[in-house]
Amino acid sequence: MVHELLVLGAGYAGLAAARRAAHHVRANGAGLRVTLVNATDTFVERVRLHEVAAGRDVGVHPLVDSLNPAIDLVVGRVEALDTEARTVDVRTGDRVRTLRYDTLVYALGSTAAADAAPGAAEHAVTLAGLEGAREVARRIARERPRTLTVVGGGLTGLEAVTEIAEAHAGMDVRLVTSGPVAAGVSVRGRAHVRRVLDRLDVSVREHTRVAAVEADHVKLEDGDLLESDLTLWNAGFDVSPLAAGAGLAVDGSGRALVDGTQRSVSHPDVYVVGDAAHADAVDGRELRMSCAMGLPMGTAAADAVAARLAGREPDAAPFGYLFQCVSLGRRDGLIQFVHADDSPRGAFLTGGLAARYKEMIVSSAYGGLRGSGKQGSAEGYLWLVRGSARRFLRRAA
C-alpha cells in the first residue's frame, strides 16, 4: 500500500522535504506518494526580499522548476488541519479540497510579528513576505520618500537598511534597534558593520524601543519623534496558529515542539520543519528561524520518514551552525564564521569577497532546490551541520 506523504508549505524547508522524499521514491523505491501544498505556484527566495524592497526584480521562480514527476503539486491555502482524521482542508479557488495523509510534514513558516507597536500594522510595511517587499519598492518609486526608518537591528533589518541606502542615495535612512546592531557577530565584525553604515550615511539609534508608528513619524519610548515618510517593521516574527489549534504540542510562541528527527513530540505522524518548528540547538536553546536551519530540517524529516518506513532508526543528531551571512548592499558584506552554538569565531570575511560569498550561498540554496539541483547537495549540507554539532558536543564532553 502506498504511504501518503503530505507536505504543507513550499518555502526552503518544505520544498527541501518534498524533494528529498521524492528522491527516496526514485532512488530507493520508497513506497511514498508525495503531495506538496503551497498557497502560490511560485517559490520565493525569502533571503532576497531586502533586494526586492530596494527595487530589484529577483528571487521569484516558478515552483514547477523545482518539482519532478514524483511530486504532486496542489496550489491552495491551508484552512484546517484535523490530526485525528489525518486530513487537511485546502482552499483552491472557489472550492475546498480535503487531502488525506499518513504522514504530514508541516512547513508553513512564519509571518511578521502581530504584537508590534501601536500603529505599526496600519502605517508600517514588513519584509516578512514578497508583497511587503514589493510594496516598499513601489512606494519608494512612487512617493520618493525623503525619510525612511527601518525598525529592528537583526540581520533582516540590517540587510534592508544597507540595501535601500545604497540603492537610493540621498534618502535619509535610519535604523532603530532595541539592542546593539549586529549583536551576534564578533567585535571586529560589528566594527565593520558600523563602518559600512557610516559610509552609506545610515543613522543608527541603538538600545531604543519604538512606542508607536504614525503615518509620517515614529515615536520612541524616550519621547523622541523621528520623521519617517516610510517605515519598515522587522522586529520579530510569528507563526500560524494552525499547529496549536490542531492540538500539536507547541511552545509559548506557537512553534511546534519536535524531537531530533523533526517529529512532533505529541503526534508521531506529523513532522514540523522550518520556522514553524521549535527544535533544540546544541546548547539547549531553540534553533533560530533561518534558511540555514530550514534546509537541513526539511532534508532530515524526509530521511526520517523514509528510514522508519524501511524499519530503520533515523539519525537524530542535532544541527550546528556554520556561519552568518550578511549582505551590506551589493558590494559589501560580512561572513561571520561561528561555533556550532552560533557564537562568533574570530574569523570573518568583509568587503567584496564577503558579498560574493553571500551571493554564492544564496544562489546555491535555491540551486539545490531546483529540478536540476543535485540531491547530494542537500545530503552534504545536512552532514555538515550535524558534523558541526557532533564536534561541539565532543569538546563539551
Coordinates of all heavy atoms in Angstrom, one line a residue, residues 267-357:
H267 N 2.5 14.2 18.3 CA 1.9 13.5 17.2 C 2.9 12.8 16.3 O 3.5 13.5 15.4 CB 1.0 14.5 16.3 CG -0.2 15.0 17.0 ND1 -0.1 15.9 18.1 CD2 -1.5 14.8 16.9 CE1 -1.3 16.2 18.5 NE2 -2.2 15.5 17.8
P268 N 3.1 11.5 16.5 CA 4.2 10.8 15.7 C 4.0 10.7 14.2 O 5.0 10.4 13.5 CB 4.2 9.4 16.3 CG 2.8 9.2 16.9 CD 2.4 10.6 17.4
D269 N 2.9 11.1 13.7 CA 2.7 11.0 12.3 C 2.8 12.4 11.7 O 2.5 12.6 10.5 CB 1.3 10.5 11.9 CG 0.2 11.2 12.6 OD1 0.4 12.0 13.5 OD2 -1.0 10.9 12.4
V270 N 3.3 13.4 12.5 CA 3.5 14.8 12.0 C 4.9 15.2 12.2 O 5.5 15.0 13.3 CB 2.5 15.8 12.7 CG1 2.8 17.2 12.2 CG2 1.1 15.4 12.5
Y271 N 5.6 15.7 11.2 CA 6.9 16.3 11.3 C 6.8 17.8 11.0 O 6.0 18.2 10.2 CB 7.8 15.7 10.2 CG 8.1 14.2 10.5 CD1 7.2 13.2 10.3 CD2 9.4 13.8 11.0 CE1 7.4 11.9 10.5 CE2 9.7 12.5 11.2 CZ 8.7 11.5 11.0 OH 8.9 10.2 11.2
V272 N 7.5 18.6 11.7 CA 7.4 20.0 11.6 C 8.8 20.6 11.3 O 9.8 20.2 12.0 CB 6.9 20.7 12.9 CG1 6.7 22.2 12.6 CG2 5.6 20.0 13.3
V273 N 9.0 21.4 10.3 CA 10.3 21.9 9.8 C 10.2 23.4 9.6 O 9.1 24.0 9.4 CB 10.7 21.1 8.5 CG1 10.9 19.7 8.8 CG2 9.7 21.4 7.4
G274 N 11.4 24.0 9.5 CA 11.5 25.4 9.2 C 11.1 26.3 10.4 O 11.2 25.9 11.6
D275 N 10.6 27.5 10.1 CA 10.3 28.5 11.2 C 9.2 28.0 12.1 O 9.1 28.5 13.2 CB 9.9 29.8 10.5 CG 11.1 30.5 9.8 OD1 12.2 30.0 9.9 OD2 10.8 31.6 9.2
A276 N 8.4 27.1 11.7 CA 7.2 26.7 12.5 C 7.7 25.7 13.6 O 6.9 25.3 14.4 CB 6.2 26.0 11.6
A277 N 8.9 25.2 13.5 CA 9.4 24.2 14.4 C 10.2 24.8 15.6 O 11.1 25.6 15.3 CB 10.2 23.1 13.7
H278 N 10.0 24.3 16.8 CA 10.9 24.6 17.9 C 11.8 23.4 18.1 O 11.4 22.4 18.7 CB 10.1 24.8 19.2 CG 10.9 25.1 20.4 ND1 10.7 26.1 21.3 CD2 12.1 24.5 20.9 CE1 11.6 26.1 22.2 NE2 12.4 25.1 22.0
A279 N 13.0 23.5 17.5 CA 14.0 22.4 17.6 C 15.1 22.9 18.5 O 15.5 24.1 18.4 CB 14.5 22.0 16.2
D280 N 15.7 22.0 19.2 CA 16.8 22.4 20.2 C 18.1 22.4 19.5 O 18.5 21.5 18.7 CB 16.9 21.4 21.3 CG 15.7 21.5 22.3 OD1 15.1 22.6 22.3 OD2 15.4 20.6 23.0
A281 N 18.9 23.5 19.7 CA 20.3 23.6 19.3 C 21.2 22.8 20.2 O 20.8 22.2 21.2 CB 20.7 25.0 19.2
V282 N 22.5 22.8 19.9 CA 23.4 22.0 20.7 C 23.6 22.6 22.1 O 23.9 21.8 23.0 CB 24.8 22.0 20.0 CG1 24.8 21.2 18.7 CG2 25.3 23.4 19.8
D283 N 23.2 23.8 22.3 CA 23.4 24.4 23.7 C 22.0 24.4 24.4 O 21.9 25.0 25.5 CB 23.9 25.8 23.6 CG 23.1 26.7 22.7 OD1 22.1 26.3 22.1 OD2 23.4 27.9 22.6
G284 N 21.0 23.8 23.9 CA 19.7 23.7 24.5 C 18.7 24.8 24.1 O 17.5 24.7 24.4
R285 N 19.2 25.9 23.5 CA 18.3 26.9 23.1 C 17.7 26.5 21.8 O 18.1 25.5 21.1 CB 19.1 28.2 22.8 CG 19.7 28.9 24.0 CD 20.4 30.1 23.7 NE 21.5 29.9 22.7 CZ 22.2 30.9 22.1 NH1 21.9 32.1 22.3 NH2 23.2 30.6 21.3
E286 N 16.6 27.1 21.4 CA 15.9 26.8 20.2 C 16.7 27.3 19.0 O 17.3 28.3 19.0 CB 14.5 27.3 20.1 CG 14.4 28.8 20.2 CD 12.9 29.3 20.2 OE1 12.2 29.1 19.2 OE2 12.6 29.8 21.3
L287 N 16.7 26.5 17.9 CA 17.3 27.0 16.6 C 16.6 28.2 16.1 O 15.4 28.3 16.2 CB 17.3 25.9 15.6 CG 18.1 24.6 15.8 CD1 17.8 23.6 14.8 CD2 19.6 24.9 15.8
R288 N 17.4 29.2 15.7 CA 16.8 30.4 15.2 C 16.2 30.2 13.8 O 16.6 29.3 13.1 CB 17.8 31.6 15.2 CG 19.0 31.3 14.3 CD 19.9 32.6 14.3 NE 21.2 32.3 13.8 CZ 21.5 32.3 12.5 NH1 20.6 32.6 11.6 NH2 22.8 32.0 12.1
M289 N 15.1 31.0 13.6 CA 14.5 31.0 12.3 C 15.4 31.4 11.2 O 16.0 32.5 11.3 CB 13.2 31.9 12.3 CG 12.1 31.5 13.2 SD 10.8 32.7 13.1 CE 9.6 32.0 14.3
S290 N 15.7 30.5 10.2 CA 16.6 30.9 9.2 C 16.6 29.8 8.1 O 16.2 28.7 8.3 CB 18.1 30.9 9.8 OG 18.5 29.6 10.2
C291 N 17.0 30.3 6.9 CA 17.2 29.3 5.8 C 18.2 28.3 6.1 O 18.1 27.1 5.8 CB 17.5 30.1 4.5 SG 18.2 29.2 3.2
A292 N 19.3 28.7 6.8 CA 20.4 27.9 7.2 C 19.9 26.6 8.0 O 20.5 25.6 7.9 CB 21.4 28.6 8.0
M293 N 18.9 26.8 8.8 CA 18.4 25.7 9.6 C 17.2 25.0 8.9 O 16.9 23.8 9.1 CB 18.1 26.1 11.0 CG 19.3 26.5 11.8 SD 20.4 25.0 12.2 CE 21.7 25.4 11.0
G294 N 16.4 25.8 8.2 CA 15.2 25.2 7.5 C 15.6 24.2 6.5 O 14.9 23.1 6.4
L295 N 16.6 24.4 5.7 CA 17.0 23.4 4.7 C 17.4 22.0 5.3 O 16.8 21.0 4.9 CB 18.2 24.0 3.9 CG 17.8 25.0 2.8 CD1 19.0 25.7 2.3 CD2 17.0 24.4 1.7
P296 N 18.3 22.0 6.3 CA 18.6 20.6 6.9 C 17.4 20.0 7.6 O 17.3 18.8 7.7 CB 19.8 20.9 7.8 CG 19.7 22.4 8.1 CD 19.2 23.0 6.8
M297 N 16.5 20.9 8.2 CA 15.3 20.3 8.8 C 14.5 19.6 7.8 O 14.0 18.4 8.1 CB 14.5 21.5 9.4 CG 15.0 22.0 10.7 SD 13.8 23.3 11.3 CE 14.6 23.9 12.8
G298 N 14.2 20.2 6.7 CA 13.4 19.5 5.7 C 14.0 18.2 5.2 O 13.3 17.2 5.0
T299 N 15.3 18.3 4.9 CA 16.0 17.1 4.4 C 16.0 16.0 5.5 O 15.7 14.8 5.2 CB 17.5 17.4 4.1 OG1 17.5 18.5 3.1 CG2 18.2 16.2 3.6
A300 N 16.2 16.3 6.8 CA 16.3 15.4 7.8 C 14.9 14.7 8.1 O 14.8 13.5 8.3 CB 16.7 16.0 9.1
A301 N 13.8 15.5 7.9 CA 12.5 15.0 8.1 C 12.2 13.9 7.1 O 11.6 12.9 7.4 CB 11.5 16.1 8.1
A302 N 12.5 14.2 5.8 CA 12.2 13.3 4.7 C 13.0 12.0 4.9 O 12.5 10.9 4.7 CB 12.5 13.9 3.4
D303 N 14.3 12.2 5.3 CA 15.1 11.0 5.6 C 14.5 10.1 6.7 O 14.6 8.9 6.7 CB 16.5 11.4 6.0 CG 17.3 11.9 4.8 OD1 16.8 11.8 3.6 OD2 18.5 12.4 5.0
A304 N 14.0 10.8 7.8 CA 13.5 10.1 8.9 C 12.2 9.3 8.5 O 12.0 8.2 8.9 CB 13.1 11.1 10.0
V305 N 11.4 9.9 7.7 CA 10.1 9.2 7.2 C 10.5 8.0 6.4 O 10.0 6.9 6.6 CB 9.3 10.2 6.4 CG1 8.1 9.4 5.7 CG2 8.7 11.3 7.2
A306 N 11.5 8.1 5.5 CA 11.9 7.0 4.7 C 12.5 5.9 5.5 O 12.3 4.7 5.3 CB 12.9 7.5 3.6
A307 N 13.3 6.3 6.5 CA 14.0 5.3 7.3 C 13.0 4.5 8.1 O 13.1 3.3 8.2 CB 15.0 6.0 8.3
R308 N 12.0 5.2 8.7 CA 11.0 4.5 9.5 C 10.2 3.6 8.7 O 9.8 2.5 9.2 CB 10.2 5.5 10.3 CG 11.0 6.2 11.5 CD 10.2 7.1 12.3 NE 10.9 7.4 13.6 CZ 11.3 8.6 13.9 NH1 11.0 9.7 13.1 NH2 12.0 8.8 15.0
L309 N 9.8 4.0 7.5 CA 9.0 3.1 6.6 C 9.8 1.9 6.2 O 9.3 0.8 6.0 CB 8.6 3.9 5.4 CG 7.5 4.9 5.5 CD1 7.3 5.6 4.2 CD2 6.2 4.3 6.0
A310 N 11.2 2.0 6.2 CA 12.0 0.8 5.9 C 12.4 0.0 7.1 O 13.2 -0.9 7.0 CB 13.3 1.3 5.2
G311 N 11.9 0.4 8.3 CA 12.2 -0.3 9.5 C 13.5 0.0 10.1 O 14.0 -0.7 11.0
R312 N 14.1 1.2 9.7 CA 15.4 1.6 10.3 C 15.2 2.8 11.3 O 14.2 3.5 11.2 CB 16.4 2.1 9.2 CG 16.6 1.0 8.2 CD 17.8 1.5 7.3 NE 17.6 2.8 6.8 CZ 16.9 3.1 5.6 NH1 16.4 2.2 4.9 NH2 16.8 4.4 5.3
E313 N 16.1 2.9 12.2 CA 16.0 4.0 13.1 C 16.7 5.2 12.5 O 17.9 5.2 12.1 CB 16.7 3.7 14.4 CG 16.6 4.7 15.6 CD 15.1 4.9 16.0 OE1 14.3 3.9 15.8 OE2 14.7 6.0 16.4
P314 N 16.1 6.4 12.4 CA 16.7 7.5 11.7 C 17.7 8.2 12.6 O 17.7 8.1 13.8 CB 15.5 8.4 11.4 CG 14.5 8.1 12.5 CD 14.7 6.6 12.8
D315 N 18.6 9.0 11.9 CA 19.6 9.8 12.6 C 18.9 10.9 13.3 O 18.0 11.6 12.8 CB 20.6 10.3 11.6 CG 21.8 11.0 12.2 OD1 21.8 11.2 13.4 OD2 22.8 11.2 11.5
A316 N 19.2 11.1 14.6 CA 18.6 12.2 15.4 C 19.6 13.2 15.9 O 19.3 13.9 16.9 CB 17.8 11.5 16.6
A317 N 20.8 13.2 15.3 CA 21.8 14.1 15.7 C 21.3 15.6 15.6 O 20.7 15.9 14.6 CB 23.1 13.9 14.9
P318 N 21.7 16.5 16.5 CA 21.3 17.9 16.4 C 22.1 18.6 15.2 O 23.0 18.0 14.6 CB 21.7 18.5 17.7 CG 22.8 17.6 18.2 CD 22.5 16.2 17.7
F319 N 21.7 19.8 15.0 CA 22.3 20.7 14.0 C 23.2 21.7 14.6 O 22.9 22.2 15.7 CB 21.3 21.4 13.1 CG 20.2 20.5 12.5 CD1 19.0 21.0 12.2 CD2 20.6 19.2 12.1 CE1 18.0 20.2 11.6 CE2 19.6 18.4 11.5 CZ 18.4 18.9 11.2
G320 N 24.3 22.0 14.0 CA 25.2 23.1 14.5 C 25.3 24.1 13.4 O 25.3 23.9 12.2
Y321 N 25.5 25.4 13.8 CA 25.6 26.5 12.9 C 27.0 26.5 12.2 O 28.0 25.9 12.8 CB 25.4 27.8 13.6 CG 24.0 28.0 14.1 CD1 23.7 27.7 15.5 CD2 23.0 28.5 13.3 CE1 22.5 27.9 16.0 CE2 21.7 28.6 13.8 CZ 21.4 28.3 15.1 OH 20.2 28.5 15.6
L322 N 27.2 27.1 11.1 CA 28.4 27.2 10.4 C 28.9 28.6 10.3 O 30.1 28.9 10.5 CB 28.3 26.5 9.0 CG 27.9 25.1 8.9 CD1 27.7 24.6 7.5 CD2 28.9 24.2 9.6
F323 N 28.0 29.5 9.8 CA 28.4 30.9 9.7 C 27.1 31.7 9.6 O 26.0 31.2 9.4 CB 29.2 31.1 8.4 CG 28.8 30.4 7.2 CD1 27.5 30.6 6.6 CD2 29.5 29.3 6.7 CE1 27.1 29.9 5.5 CE2 29.1 28.6 5.6 CZ 27.9 28.9 5.0
Q324 N 27.3 33.1 9.7 CA 26.2 34.0 9.5 C 26.6 34.8 8.3 O 27.7 35.4 8.2 CB 26.0 34.9 10.7 CG 25.5 34.2 11.9 CD 25.3 35.2 13.1 OE1 25.1 36.4 12.9 NE2 25.3 34.7 14.3
C325 N 25.7 34.9 7.3 CA 26.0 35.6 6.1 C 25.1 36.9 6.0 O 23.9 36.8 6.1 CB 25.6 34.8 4.8 SG 26.7 33.3 4.6
V326 N 25.7 38.1 5.9 CA 25.0 39.3 5.9 C 25.5 40.1 4.7 O 26.6 40.5 4.6 CB 25.3 40.1 7.2 CG1 24.3 41.3 7.3 CG2 25.1 39.3 8.4
S327 N 24.5 40.5 3.8 CA 24.9 41.4 2.7 C 24.7 42.8 3.2 O 23.8 43.1 4.0 CB 24.0 41.1 1.5 OG 22.6 41.4 1.8
L328 N 25.6 43.7 2.9 CA 25.6 45.1 3.2 C 25.6 45.9 2.0 O 26.5 46.6 1.7 CB 26.8 45.4 4.1 CG 26.9 44.6 5.4 CD1 28.3 44.8 6.1 CD2 25.8 44.9 6.4
G329 N 24.5 45.8 1.2 CA 24.5 46.3 -0.1 C 25.0 45.3 -1.1 O 25.3 44.2 -0.8
R330 N 25.1 45.8 -2.4 CA 25.6 44.8 -3.4 C 27.1 44.7 -3.5 O 27.6 43.7 -4.1 CB 25.1 45.4 -4.8 CG 23.6 45.4 -5.1 CD 23.1 43.9 -5.1 NE 22.8 43.4 -3.8 CZ 22.8 42.2 -3.4 NH1 23.1 41.3 -4.3 NH2 22.4 41.8 -2.2
R331 N 27.8 45.6 -2.8 CA 29.3 45.5 -3.0 C 30.0 45.2 -1.7 O 31.3 45.2 -1.6 CB 29.8 46.8 -3.5 CG 29.3 47.1 -4.9 CD 29.9 48.4 -5.5 NE 29.5 49.6 -4.7 CZ 28.4 50.3 -4.9 NH1 27.5 49.9 -5.8 NH2 28.2 51.3 -4.1
D332 N 29.3 44.9 -0.6 CA 29.9 44.7 0.7 C 29.1 43.7 1.4 O 28.0 43.4 1.1 CB 30.0 46.0 1.5 CG 31.2 46.0 2.5 OD1 31.6 44.9 2.9 OD2 31.8 47.1 2.7
G333 N 29.7 43.1 2.5 CA 29.0 42.1 3.3 C 29.9 41.7 4.5 O 31.0 42.2 4.7
L334 N 29.3 40.8 5.2 CA 30.0 40.2 6.4 C 29.7 38.7 6.5 O 28.5 38.4 6.5 CB 29.6 40.9 7.7 CG 30.2 40.3 9.0 CD1 31.7 40.4 9.1 CD2 29.5 40.9 10.2
I335 N 30.7 37.9 6.4 CA 30.6 36.5 6.6 C 31.2 36.2 8.0 O 32.5 36.3 8.1 CB 31.2 35.7 5.5 CG1 30.7 36.1 4.1 CG2 31.0 34.2 5.7 CD1 29.3 36.0 3.9
Q336 N 30.4 36.0 9.0 CA 30.9 35.7 10.3 C 30.9 34.2 10.6 O 29.8 33.6 10.7 CB 30.1 36.4 11.4 CG 30.5 36.1 12.8 CD 31.8 36.7 13.2 OE1 32.1 37.9 13.2 NE2 32.8 35.8 13.4
F337 N 32.1 33.6 10.6 CA 32.1 32.2 11.0 C 31.8 32.0 12.4 O 32.3 32.8 13.3 CB 33.5 31.6 10.6 CG 33.8 31.7 9.1 CD1 34.5 32.7 8.6 CD2 33.2 30.7 8.3 CE1 34.7 32.8 7.2 CE2 33.5 30.8 6.9 CZ 34.2 31.8 6.4
V338 N 31.1 31.0 12.8 CA 30.6 30.8 14.1 C 30.8 29.4 14.6 O 31.0 28.4 13.8 CB 29.1 31.1 14.2 CG1 28.8 32.6 13.8 CG2 28.2 30.2 13.4
H339 N 30.8 29.2 15.9 CA 30.8 27.9 16.5 C 29.4 27.2 16.3 O 28.4 27.9 15.9 CB 31.1 27.9 18.0 CG 32.5 28.5 18.3 ND1 33.6 27.8 18.1 CD2 32.8 29.8 18.7 CE1 34.6 28.6 18.4 NE2 34.2 29.7 18.8
A340 N 29.3 26.0 16.6 CA 28.0 25.2 16.4 C 26.9 25.9 17.2 O 25.7 25.7 16.8 CB 28.2 23.8 16.8
D341 N 27.2 26.5 18.3 CA 26.1 27.2 19.1 C 25.8 28.6 18.6 O 25.1 29.3 19.3 CB 26.5 27.2 20.6 CG 27.7 28.0 20.9 OD1 28.4 28.5 19.9 OD2 28.0 28.2 22.1
D342 N 26.3 29.0 17.5 CA 26.1 30.3 16.9 C 26.9 31.4 17.5 O 26.7 32.6 17.1 CB 24.6 30.7 16.9 CG 24.2 31.5 15.7 OD1 24.9 31.4 14.6 OD2 23.2 32.2 15.7
S343 N 27.8 31.1 18.4 CA 28.7 32.2 18.9 C 29.8 32.4 18.0 O 30.3 31.5 17.3 CB 29.2 31.7 20.3 OG 30.0 30.6 20.2
P344 N 30.2 33.7 17.8 CA 31.2 34.1 16.8 C 32.6 33.5 17.0 O 33.1 33.5 18.1 CB 31.1 35.6 16.8 CG 30.7 36.0 18.2 CD 29.8 34.9 18.6
R345 N 33.2 33.1 16.0 CA 34.6 32.8 16.0 C 35.4 34.1 15.7 O 34.8 35.1 15.4 CB 34.9 31.8 14.9 CG 34.3 30.4 15.1 CD 34.7 29.5 14.0 NE 34.0 28.1 14.1 CZ 34.6 27.1 14.7 NH1 35.8 27.3 15.3 NH2 34.0 26.0 14.8
G346 N 36.7 34.0 15.7 CA 37.5 35.2 15.3 C 37.5 35.4 13.9 O 37.8 36.5 13.4
A347 N 37.3 34.4 13.0 CA 37.4 34.5 11.6 C 36.2 35.1 11.0 O 35.0 34.8 11.3 CB 37.7 33.1 11.0
F348 N 36.4 36.0 10.0 CA 35.3 36.5 9.2 C 35.8 37.1 7.9 O 37.0 37.3 7.7 CB 34.5 37.6 10.0 CG 35.4 38.8 10.4 CD1 35.5 39.9 9.6 CD2 36.1 38.8 11.6 CE1 36.3 41.0 10.0 CE2 36.9 39.9 12.0 CZ 37.0 41.0 11.1
L349 N 34.9 37.3 7.0 CA 35.2 38.0 5.7 C 34.4 39.3 5.6 O 33.3 39.4 6.1 CB 34.8 37.0 4.5 CG 35.5 35.6 4.5 CD1 34.9 34.9 3.3 CD2 37.0 35.7 4.4
T350 N 34.9 40.2 4.9 CA 34.2 41.5 4.7 C 34.5 42.0 3.2 O 35.2 41.4 2.4 CB 34.8 42.6 5.6 OG1 36.2 42.8 5.4 CG2 34.5 42.2 7.1
G351 N 33.8 43.1 2.9 CA 34.0 43.7 1.6 C 33.4 42.9 0.4 O 32.5 42.1 0.6
G352 N 34.1 43.1 -0.8 CA 33.6 42.5 -2.0 C 33.7 41.0 -1.9 O 32.8 40.3 -2.5
L353 N 34.7 40.4 -1.2 CA 34.8 39.0 -1.1 C 33.6 38.4 -0.3 O 33.0 37.4 -0.7 CB 36.1 38.6 -0.4 CG 36.3 37.1 -0.1 CD1 36.4 36.3 -1.4 CD2 37.6 36.9 0.7
A354 N 33.2 39.1 0.7 CA 32.0 38.7 1.5 C 30.8 38.8 0.7 O 29.9 37.9 0.8 CB 31.9 39.5 2.8
A355 N 30.6 39.8 -0.1 CA 29.5 40.0 -1.0 C 29.3 38.8 -1.9 O 28.3 38.3 -2.2 CB 29.5 41.3 -1.7
R356 N 30.5 38.4 -2.5 CA 30.4 37.3 -3.5 C 30.2 36.0 -2.8 O 29.5 35.1 -3.3 CB 31.8 37.3 -4.2 CG 32.0 38.5 -5.2 CD 33.2 38.2 -6.1 NE 34.4 38.2 -5.4 CZ 35.2 39.3 -5.1 NH1 34.7 40.5 -5.4 NH2 36.3 39.2 -4.4
Y357 N 30.7 35.8 -1.6 CA 30.5 34.6 -0.8 C 29.0 34.5 -0.5 O 28.4 33.4 -0.6 CB 31.3 34.7 0.5 CG 31.4 33.4 1.2 CD1 32.6 32.6 1.2 CD2 30.3 33.0 2.0 CE1 32.7 31.5 2.0 CE2 30.4 31.8 2.8 CZ 31.6 31.0 2.7 OH 31.7 29.9 3.5

